[in-house]
């Protein structure tokens, strides 16, 4: 028996030695950026898990003779991935240094006061903006996944916020207001938004109730800051949709720093997936640079410049759209002749001087110049055939509708916008005062020549709004004049001078053990429209705004916010042009009374950080300038004869659903209506009732270098408009629901979170990845507008949906040196 026991002991020991011989060991101490030890760091590898102790030490057993990835995650620190290939019984010592999450998605930039969280501003990470897939990748692509931000046009970077339109959103880069082209009418003409994501450092967004320091719009603020590099870097991105190239530089003295980026985009891949077959030759190119000169600790000078050249040539060939019902399916076939040639060239430059007067006072002077020359020329003839889908040639009912439509335009615009601004900020203990004054001069020369001729059932259709003889061709001779169905002709040369300013006060205090923040301010703007025979009256508005935030001394980390005020939007040039293109100089500013009640709740789930943000809002609008939207083109009535309202709720839950990554879920409910000339309330063009969205990031647990990015959006249908000259109160039509899923897969060879245990060819790169993107994963048919086609026999008009892009595959590569 003793001999048997001894044999069993040797057998078990041998098995243990044999098992141990197949493994290796990783040990070390986790440190932070201050070289302090970090406890409770999770270490994962192939299903095995360990955690750092109170002194930061850890140990984990790994498979030997096999390349594995070890993942270090912590609730407040950036994830680290370590690739290892160890020999049997090898002990490897690794002391990772984990960095703080200073740009955590959905969280505010870390600061002692958490000011952005208090102000109700969402801070987005530049890395998430660059990674999330979309037909128009970038900041706007991520914004469309937020509650209250709506768009059903993946070819456009434009977005509507809480019932507003595309012209009601403020966009700043380095505190300088940006402008978009005037004449663009369709999303496929938009090659590039101004924002170059390769240059971005911080992105802040507010969907309403923002402070007085921001400008005079009534919907939202997008505030972007470009990067100040700390070392040299070069980067390249290439895909089937174009590419970008850029570099960061810093002088030896570290006084000069700068970032420069060149971008090229070609939308052929997207446009060719639409139902209209075309010859499409676009060219979208821009160059941007941001240069900073730090003369001393108290003075800095910076320059922001951009040149953009967008050439758009579009030759439609054919189109076939199937629509209708199961009982009565119809097909529209269109054959085109002609060409559209558009050119949009913009030039922008701005100089900013920042002087630190003392530790508590800062003074800034900003001068900017924006110049755009735009051309929109086209002659396109479309001959259409409307028939039952299953009709056979020769059937009596084969041709339900037949006709032709000729569209002509010779539109040219030249705009020069110059501004000079001075602003300051003074801090004293828990109080601060910000102020600013700005003068803007807008010089715009504009020529509009547009007409449309419609021929249906063998005769030309005249304007229905004119008192003309009844056209009963071919049964009776028509003796009246032949006129275009639509005809717009105007020549405008206008000068708009604006003087604006703001003053706001901020204070932090305590009531008992609770923290309270106050913000109160007022803006004003004075403007006048001049030019030629046009001379508008001098107008001035005052916009008081306030914010209140409370953080009670609860166990739960919550902040309650109440903000709002009176917001004015003085008319920009496009808002002054009526439906006939004529400038109406005395259009008044639209005004909006807003109130926003919000709650910001930070909590932990699964030992990881999460945040739930909820906001209730109500906006009452007066002096409303009614408009219609066709694709991304907005046409105003140039009057102030309507009132409107918008109300809703926005919810967003974000956090680490997967360790080391950030994702979010969004829900929004919106109702917005307008009352035009006391006719009653009807839905506004941006009345998008329900919004669901998800932005999700993941990685393969056993192969974390393989990433997944998912962007899902569901919107209920927008109002689809009505036929030309019809009364919108008599005809209301909605588009179908918008459903979109974009997914991206990426193999990351190296990035900022990857540490190579041994030197190899990847050590030449700071970042290197290659990925596959699938746009419109489920191939949903989403409509942007309707085309109205006349039936020969019944004289009815059918709403033919104009569908957006279908499923598309794209390959993308990113590298940074």
């Amino acid at each position: 028996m003793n001999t048997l026991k001894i044999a069993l002991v040797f057998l078990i020991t041998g098995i243990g030695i044999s098992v141990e011989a197949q493994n290796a060991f990783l040990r070390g101490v986790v440190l932070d950026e201050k070289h302090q030890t970090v406890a409770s760091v999770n270490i994962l590898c192939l299903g095995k898990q360990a955690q750092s102790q109170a002194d930061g030490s850890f140990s984990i057993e790994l498979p030997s003779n096999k390349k594995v990835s070890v993942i270090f995650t912590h609730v407040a620190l950036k994830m680290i991935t370590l690739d290892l290939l160890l020999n049997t019984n090898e002990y490897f010592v690794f002391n990772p240094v984990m960095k703080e999450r200073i740009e955590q998605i959905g969280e505010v930039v870390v600061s002692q006061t958490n000011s952005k969280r208090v102000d109700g501003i969402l801070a987005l990470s530049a890395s998430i903006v660059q990674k999330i897939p979309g037909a128009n990748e970038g900041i706007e692509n991520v914004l469309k996944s937020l509650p209250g931000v709506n768009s059903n046009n993946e070819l456009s970077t434009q977005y509507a916020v809480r019932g507003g339109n595309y012209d009601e959103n403020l966009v700043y880069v380095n505190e300088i207001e940006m402008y978009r082209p005037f004449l663009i009418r369709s999303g496929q003409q938009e090659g590039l938004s101004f924002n170059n994501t390769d240059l971005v450092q911080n992105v802040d967004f507010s969907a309403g109730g923002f402070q007085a320091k921001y400008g005079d719009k009534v919907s939202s603020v997008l505030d972007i800051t470009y990067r100040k590099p700390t070392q040299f870097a070069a980067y390249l991105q290439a895909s089937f949709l174009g590419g970008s190239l850029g570099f960061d530089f810093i002088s030896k003295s570290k006084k000069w720093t700068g970032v420069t980026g060149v971008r090229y985009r070609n939308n052929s891949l997207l446009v060719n997936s639409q139902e209209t077959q075309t010859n499409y030759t676009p060219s979208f190119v821009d160059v941007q640079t941001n240069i900073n000169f730090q003369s001393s600790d108290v003075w800095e000078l910076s320059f922001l410049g951009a040149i953009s050249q967008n050439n758009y040539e579009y030759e439609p060939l054919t189109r076939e759209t199937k629509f209708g019902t199961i009982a009565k399916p119809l097909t529209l076939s269109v054959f085109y002749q002609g060409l559209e040639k558009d050119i949009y060239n913009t030039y922008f430059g701005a100089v900013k001087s920042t002087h630190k007067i003392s530790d508590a006072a800062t003074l800034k002077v900003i001068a900017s110049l924006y110049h755009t020359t735009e051309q929109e020329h086209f002659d396109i003839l479309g001959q259409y055939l409307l028939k039952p889908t299953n009709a056979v040639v020769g059937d009596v009912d084969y041709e339900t509708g037949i006709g032709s439509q000729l569209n002509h335009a010779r539109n040219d615009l030249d705009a020069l916008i110059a501004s000079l601004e001075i602003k300051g900020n003074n801090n004293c203990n828990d109080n601060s005062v910000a102020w600013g004054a700005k003068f803007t001069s807008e010089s715009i020369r504009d020529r509009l020549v547009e007409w449309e001729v419609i021929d249906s059932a063998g005769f030309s259709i005249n304007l229905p709004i004119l008192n003309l003889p009844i056209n009963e061709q071919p049964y009776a001779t028509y003796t009246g004049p032949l006129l275009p169905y639509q005809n717009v002709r105007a020549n405008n040369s206008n000068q708009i001078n604006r003087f604006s300013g703001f003053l706001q006060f901020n204070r932090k205090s305590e009531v008992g053990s609770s923290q309270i923040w106050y913000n109160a301010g007022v803006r004003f703007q004075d403007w006048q429209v001049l030019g030629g025979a046009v001379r508008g009256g001098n107008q001035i508005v005052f916009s008081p705004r306030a914010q209140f935030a409370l953080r009670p001394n609860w166990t739960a980390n919550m902040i309650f916010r109440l903000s709002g005020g009176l917001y004015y939007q003085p008319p920009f040039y496009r808002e002054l042009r009526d439906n006939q293109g004529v400038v109406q100089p005395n259009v008044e500013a639209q005004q909006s009374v807003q109130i926003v009640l919000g709650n910001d709740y930070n909590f932990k789930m699964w030992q990881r950080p999460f945040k739930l943000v909820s906001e209730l809002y109500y906006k009452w609008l007066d002096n409303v300038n009614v408009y219609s939207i066709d694709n991304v083109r907005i046409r105003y009535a140039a009057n102030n004869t309507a009132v409107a309202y918008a109300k809703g709720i926005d919810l967003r839950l974000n956090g680490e659903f997967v360790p080391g990554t950030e994702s979010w879920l969004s829900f929004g409910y919106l109702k917005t209506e307008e009352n035009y000339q006391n006719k009653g309330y009807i839905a506004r063009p941006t009345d998008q009732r329900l919004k669901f969205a998800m932005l999700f990031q993941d990685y393969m647990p056993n192969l974390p270098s393989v990433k997944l990015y998912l962007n899902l959006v569901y919107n209920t249908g927008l109002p689809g408009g009505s036929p030309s000259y019809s009364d919108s109160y008599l005809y209301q039509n909605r588009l179908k629901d918008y459903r979109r899923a974009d997914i991206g897969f990426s193999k990351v060879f190296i990035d900022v979170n990857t540490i190579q245990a041994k030197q190899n060819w990847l050590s030449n790169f700071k970042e290197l990845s290659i990925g596959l993107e699938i746009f419109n994963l489920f191939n949903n048919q989403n409509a942007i507008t309707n085309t109205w086609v006349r039936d020969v026999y019944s004289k009815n008009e059918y709403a033919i949906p104009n569908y957006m892009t279908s499923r598309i595959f794209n390959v993308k590569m990113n590298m940074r040196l």
Side-chain angles (χ1 to χ4, degrees):
M1 180 66 70
N2 291 335
T3 304
L4 179 61
K5 288 181 179 179
I6 294 171
L8 288 174
V9 169
F10 275 104
L11 178 61
I12 294 172
T13 303
I15 293 174
I17 294 172
S18 176
V19 172
E20 184 180 10
Q22 302 301 315
N23 294 330
F25 302 91
L26 174 65
R27 294 176 179 176
V29 177
V30 183
L31 305 172
D32 62 16
E33 291 180 291
K34 297 179 181 178
H35 292 280
Q36 301 295 317
T37 58
V38 182
S40 301
V41 174
N42 293 314
I43 301 103
L44 304 172
C45 180
L46 297 179
K48 294 185 178 182
Q49 182 172 355
Q51 193 173 70
S52 63
Q53 304 303 309
D55 60 356
S57 62
F58 69 92
S59 176
I60 186 171
E61 193 173 347
L62 308 177
S64 60
N65 302 312
K66 179 181 180 181
K67 185 175 181 180
V68 295
S69 295
V70 185
I71 305 171
F72 298 78
T73 63
H74 188 271
V75 294
L77 301 171
K78 285 188 176 182
M79 180 182 71
I80 286 180
T81 301
L82 174 66
D83 295 329
L84 281 176
L85 176 59
L86 301 179
N87 298 322
T88 302
N89 289 331
E90 181 179 355
Y91 286 82
F92 187 85
V93 177
F94 175 60
N95 300 321
V97 177
M98 303 188 75
K99 298 181 180 180
E100 293 184 359
R101 290 179 177 276
I102 59 173
E103 293 173 9
Q104 181 173 314
I105 304 163
E107 295 285 344
V108 299
V109 174
V110 173
S111 65
Q112 292 182 350
T113 60
N114 279 338
S115 61
K116 291 186 174 63
R117 186 183 179 199
V118 170
D119 296 341
I121 293 175
L122 170 65
L124 296 172
S125 165
S127 61
I128 192 75
V129 167
Q130 296 165 359
K131 294 175 182 176
I132 297 304
N136 254 311
E137 63 179 3
I139 295 173
E140 295 86 357
N141 179 49
V142 175
L143 290 182
K144 292 174 184 179
S145 69
L146 300 176
V149 182
N150 297 310
S151 174
N152 63 341
N153 189 341
E154 60 266 18
L155 291 174
S156 172
T157 59
Q158 304 308 312
Y159 53 90
V161 179
R162 293 180 177 175
N165 66 33
Y166 309 139
D167 292 336
E168 297 178 4
N169 305 309
L170 286 163
V171 179
Y172 293 97
V173 174
N174 292 357
E175 302 182 89
I176 304 161
E177 186 173 356
M178 298 292 112
Y179 304 93
R180 59 188 293 257
F182 293 78
L183 296 183
I184 283 180
R185 66 174 66 202
S186 69
Q188 62 197 39
Q189 296 171 0
E190 291 187 44
L192 298 161
S193 72
F194 183 88
N195 313 306
N196 187 334
T197 56
D198 289 335
L199 312 183
V200 169
Q201 175 68 39
N202 296 317
V203 180
D204 296 335
F205 180 74
S206 174
F210 44 86
Q211 299 176 3
K213 67 179 181 179
Y214 295 114
D216 297 296
K217 300 282 188 180
V218 295
S219 286
S220 73
V221 173
L222 177 62
D223 192 3
I224 300 165
T225 303
Y226 277 1
R227 183 175 58 253
K228 292 182 181 178
T230 57
Q231 59 184 348
F232 176 82
Y235 37 88
L236 171 69
Q237 181 194 101
S239 75
F240 290 160
L241 292 172
S244 63
L245 174 68
F247 65 91
D248 301 353
F249 72 87
I250 181 169
S251 66
K252 290 183 178 180
S253 65
K254 297 185 179 181
K255 290 187 175 182
W256 290 92
T257 61
V259 291
T260 298
V262 181
R263 295 182 296 171
Y264 169 79
R265 184 174 175 87
N266 187 321
N267 280 340
S268 297
L269 182 68
L270 301 171
V271 173
N272 290 338
S273 74
Q274 294 182 290
E275 57 195 5
T276 301
Q277 301 302 308
T278 66
N279 286 326
Y280 182 60
T281 54
S283 176
F284 307 124
V285 181
D286 86 335
V287 181
Q288 293 189 33
T289 186
N290 182 38
I291 300 173
N292 302 281
F293 174 61
Q294 187 79 41
S295 174
S296 64
D297 293 337
V298 298
W299 184 73
E300 181 184 16
L301 186 67
S302 63
F303 170 77
L304 175 64
I307 298 176
S308 174
Q309 295 184 338
N310 301 330
N311 296 319
Y312 173 83
E313 290 191 11
Y314 179 75
E315 183 182 4
L317 301 176
T318 62
R319 164 183 173 175
E320 183 172 279
T321 304
K322 298 185 187 318
F323 68 104
T325 63
I326 296 177
K328 189 179 180 181
L330 296 172
T331 298
L332 173 71
S333 298
V334 186
F335 304 90
Y336 294 99
Q337 293 181 348
L339 176 70
E340 177 174 356
K341 186 172 183 179
D342 303 330
I343 300 174
Y344 310 95
N345 294 332
T346 60
Y347 309 89
F348 174 81
V351 177
K352 180 170 73 171
S353 173
T354 303
H355 180 53
K356 188 176 180 181
I357 300 174
S358 66
D359 291 339
T362 304
L363 182 68
K364 298 179 181 178
V365 179
I366 304 172
S368 68
L369 190 66
Y370 174 84
H371 183 213
T372 179
T373 57
E374 303 177 20
Q375 168 191 299
E376 187 181 46
H377 293 180
F378 58 80
D379 288 282
I380 297 178
L381 172 65
Q383 296 173 309
Y384 70 86
L385 178 67
L386 180 67
K387 64 183 180 67
T389 298
N390 298 320
V392 178
V393 177
D395 287 354
V396 175
D397 295 330
Y398 174 69
E399 294 178 355
T400 300
I402 187 170
S404 61
Q405 178 176 321
L406 175 61
N407 288 284
H408 167 91
R410 292 294 184 271
N411 299 331
D412 297 280
L413 182 141
D414 188 310
L416 182 66
I417 302 175
S419 67
L420 179 63
E421 180 178 13
I422 182 171
K423 55 171 47 173
N425 190 79
N426 299 82
N427 299 314
C428 181
N429 297 326
D430 291 330
N431 303 320
S432 67
V433 176
W435 57 272
K438 181 179 180 180
F439 174 76
T440 304
S441 175
E442 303 163 7
S443 177
I444 300 170
R445 296 181 296 280
D446 182 23
R447 182 192 71 171
L448 284 173
V449 180
E450 290 184 34
W451 50 260
E452 177 185 31
V453 174
I454 298 179
D455 185 286
S456 181
F459 57 87
S460 179
I461 299 177
N462 289 328
L463 283 75
I465 59 175
L466 297 180
N467 187 19
L468 298 172
I470 298 176
N471 192 337
E472 296 182 348
Q473 292 188 80
Y475 308 106
T477 303
Y478 175 66
T479 58
L482 294 178
L483 299 173
Y485 188 67
Q486 295 189 66
N487 189 18
V488 177
R489 295 175 182 270
N491 267 293
N492 302 310
S493 180
N494 298 103
Q495 179 77 28
I496 307 172
N497 296 320
R498 305 179 190 271
F499 183 68
S500 61
F502 73 91
L503 176 66
Q504 76 174 39
F505 171 78
N506 299 273
R507 177 176 172 80
K508 175 187 175 184
S509 62
E510 294 183 358
V511 176
S513 57
S514 299
Q515 294 178 308
I516 298 178
W517 292 265
Y518 309 90
N519 177 285
V522 62
R523 286 194 66 85
F524 76 92
Q525 185 171 138
D526 176 279
W527 77 96
Q528 186 176 22
V529 181
L530 305 170
V534 173
R535 186 177 181 86
N538 193 75
Q539 302 186 56
I540 186 170
V541 294
F542 290 90
S543 174
R545 308 172 188 178
Q547 291 183 322
F548 173 82
L550 169 67
R551 181 174 181 176
N553 185 23
W554 295 349
T555 302
N557 185 357
M558 283 192 178
I559 290 182
F560 296 91
R561 293 188 302 269
L562 178 65
S563 61
L566 179 60
Y567 292 75
Y568 281 97
Q569 180 163 323
F572 199 51
Y573 176 73
R574 294 208 311 176
E575 297 163 77
L576 297 170
R577 287 192 327 193
D578 62 17
N579 291 325
Q580 297 303 308
V582 178
V583 170
Q584 304 296 328
N586 291 313
V587 174
E588 298 179 3
Q590 300 183 85
Q591 67 179 43
S592 172
V593 178
Q594 301 184 19
I595 183 168
V596 181
L597 178 62
N599 174 259
D600 189 308
Y601 176 36
N602 285 354
F603 61 98
K604 288 185 179 180
M605 185 166 57
W606 309 312
Q607 297 300 310
R608 298 193 291 271
F610 283 83
K611 171 184 281 192
L612 176 63
V613 179
S614 55
E615 289 189 335
L616 283 167
Y617 61 88
Y618 181 83
K619 298 195 290 188
W620 171 257
L621 296 98
D622 201 357
N623 280 353
V624 172
N625 190 349
V626 296
Y627 59 89
S628 61
I629 298 179
D630 181 9
N631 205 300
V632 298
R633 187 188 199 189
I634 300 178
R635 282 209 159 164
Y636 293 91
N639 56 32
N640 302 101
T641 56
V643 295
Y645 71 87
K647 60 182 179 180
I649 181 172
D650 289 344
L651 300 171
R652 182 174 59 87
L653 173 66
N654 81 285
E656 293 191 14
F657 292 93
V658 175
T661 67
E662 291 288 342
S663 305
W664 63 65
L665 300 171
S666 298
F667 167 77
Y669 169 78
L670 163 71
K671 184 177 182 180
T672 180
E673 294 182 320
E674 64 186 16
N675 183 353
Y676 179 61
Q677 295 181 340
N678 292 320
K679 293 182 179 180
Y681 283 93
I682 61 172
R684 305 193 80 194
T686 54
D687 182 37
Q688 201 152 46
R689 293 295 173 86
L690 293 178
K691 160 73 172 283
F692 296 93
M694 179 174 71
L695 188 148
F696 186 74
Q697 296 186 82
D698 198 0
Y699 57 86
M700 299 180 71
N702 296 332
L703 193 60
S705 60
V706 177
K707 314 285 186 180
L708 178 144
Y709 308 100
L710 182 63
N711 193 1
L712 296 176
V713 176
Y714 169 82
N715 296 326
T716 53
L718 284 167
S722 55
S724 298
Y725 304 110
S726 65
D727 187 347
S728 57
Y729 277 84
L730 300 177
Y731 187 92
Q732 286 286 298
N733 168 273
R734 277 191 182 266
L735 301 170
K736 292 183 179 180
D737 295 351
Y738 180 85
R739 296 165 295 167
R740 178 86 179 182
D742 296 328
I743 190 169
F745 302 92
S746 178
K747 166 61 178 175
V748 178
F749 296 98
I750 189 170
D751 64 9
V752 294
N753 294 322
T754 303
I755 299 177
Q756 297 291 323
K758 299 179 180 179
Q759 293 293 315
N760 55 31
W761 65 276
L762 290 175
S763 61
N764 296 318
F765 298 90
K766 294 178 182 176
E767 296 181 21
L768 178 63
S769 65
I770 186 168
L772 171 68
E773 297 177 327
I774 307 175
F775 305 141
N776 197 1
L777 177 64
F778 302 111
N779 204 27
N780 294 315
Q781 284 190 313
N782 295 311
I784 178 63
T785 54
N786 286 320
T787 295
W788 302 92
V789 174
R790 185 182 297 268
D791 187 310
V792 171
Y793 302 107
S794 68
K795 309 302 181 186
N796 292 330
E797 287 193 88
Y798 290 90
I800 315 296
N802 296 315
Y803 293 120
M804 299 300 291
T805 58
S806 59
R807 185 188 296 117
I808 299 167
F809 295 86
N810 183 42
V811 176
K812 184 169 69 173
M813 180 191 68
N814 287 284
M815 66 172 62
R816 181 181 292 266
L817 300 174

